[in-house]
Amino acid sequence: EIVMTQSPATLSVSPGERATLSCRASQSVSSNLVWYHQKPGQAPRLLIYGASTRATGVPARFSGSGSGTEFTLTISSLQSEDFAVYYCQQCKTWPLTFGGGTKVEIK
Amino acid sequence: QMQLVESGGGVVQPGRSLRLSCAASGFTFSTYAMCWVRQAPGKGLEWVAFISYDGTNEYYADSVKGRFTISRDNSKNTLYLDMNSLRAEDTAVYYCARDTGVGAAVGWFDPWGQGTLVTVSS
């Protein structure tokens, strides 16, 4: 099983600032990496697939990068609606696995 | 618009069974693979099971293999999860989600349903 590790667990950021979230895979997943975010009481929503392609309707302030084992999600200027928990997921092999999540909170 | 609505959750005793359903609308259900993902209270996401668009392929997390069965009825646009021998650690919100690939699965999911809570307790 591929283990996905996200860091930090919690990120405190002021509105308008940049946020950088990390995701590491225990073995290479190539570019088979996706990002979701989840607001309290809501279902997860797809943000990024293929490590760097924004899903339909996702604002340009969200960008993904990386390949192999190291990945980054960057939010260039945090808006109020971006404070949420972010999860990465590998879709390279079964079983599909998620990272533990990074909570982005208001500083 | 695309919509997934789960049902069937509730409180169940350890060792008992439960069936979850997920009703799909707003897209051609029979052309998309589907999955179940769960989230224990206050915890992260855990993928549970996957089924191909035509039901011929299934995959399960080790934690549920042999106890849970995923199935679908394309004539009813409905996905199911049959859960047997339930344990306290199966307590979670269960989400159904659509694979974004048409026909061939890609392994990432959108949209997701709102979830249904399963509580395993005596």
Side-chain angles (χ1 to χ4, degrees):
Chain A
E1 167 175 320
I2 298 177
V3 177
M4 308 300 293
T5 303
Q6 291 186 242
S7 61
T10 303
L11 187 61
S12 298
V13 185
S14 299
E17 289 189 339
R18 181 186 194 93
T20 302
L21 290 66
S22 296
C23 175
R24 174 177 294 177
S26 61
Q27 63 190 78
S28 177
V29 298
S30 300
S31 294
N32 298 294
L33 190 284
V34 299
W35 291 93
Y36 302 91
H37 71 171
Q38 184 180 33
K39 298 177 185 179
Q42 296 186 18
R45 291 189 63 185
L46 179 67
L47 285 175
I48 301 281
Y49 61 90
S52 61
T53 303
R54 283 189 299 277
T56 302
V58 174
R61 64 181 180 272
F62 291 91
S63 63
S65 63
S67 66
T69 63
E70 300 284 343
F71 300 88
T72 300
L73 176 70
T74 301
I75 312 170
S76 60
S77 177
L78 272 157
Q79 306 298 303
S80 58
E81 62 266 30
D82 301 334
F83 292 96
V85 180
Y86 291 79
Y87 294 96
C88 61
Q89 177 224 318
Q90 66 82 17
C91 49
K92 172 74 171 173
T93 60
W94 304 100
L96 305 180
T97 46
F98 290 89
T102 291
K103 181 180 180 180
V104 177
E105 63 177 25
I106 300 174
K107 186 174 182 181
Chain B
Q1 74 282 15
M2 297 181 293
Q3 191 172 18
L4 298 170
V5 179
E6 302 94 337
S7 60
V11 180
V12 60
Q13 293 179 328
R16 303 297 291 266
S17 300
L18 202 63
R19 170 178 256 205
L20 304 183
S21 300
C22 169
S25 60
F27 64 96
T28 306
F29 180 73
S30 62
T31 61
Y32 289 91
M34 299 290 296
C35 77
W36 289 95
V37 175
R38 68 184 180 183
Q39 186 169 37
K43 302 297 184 182
L45 302 171
E46 179 189 16
W47 169 76
V48 172
F50 169 95
I51 188 167
S52 59
Y53 72 98
D54 57 0
T56 57
N57 291 296
E58 302 168 19
Y59 300 98
Y60 297 92
D62 286 346
S63 57
V64 306
K65 199 173 295 182
R67 300 188 299 123
F68 289 12
T69 301
I70 189 171
S71 62
R72 63 191 298 159
D73 186 336
N74 285 345
S75 69
K76 295 182 178 179
N77 291 342
T78 303
L79 175 73
Y80 302 100
L81 185 67
D82 288 297
M83 304 185 294
N84 298 317
S85 302
L86 282 161
R87 307 166 180 167
E89 54 265 35
D90 295 319
T91 294
V93 173
Y94 285 73
Y95 297 100
C96 65
R98 188 195 76 167
D99 191 283
T100 58
V102 179
V106 295
W108 60 85
F109 305 100
D110 182 66
W112 298 51
Q114 85 289 350
T116 187
L117 176 62
V118 174
T119 302
V120 183
S121 173
S122 54

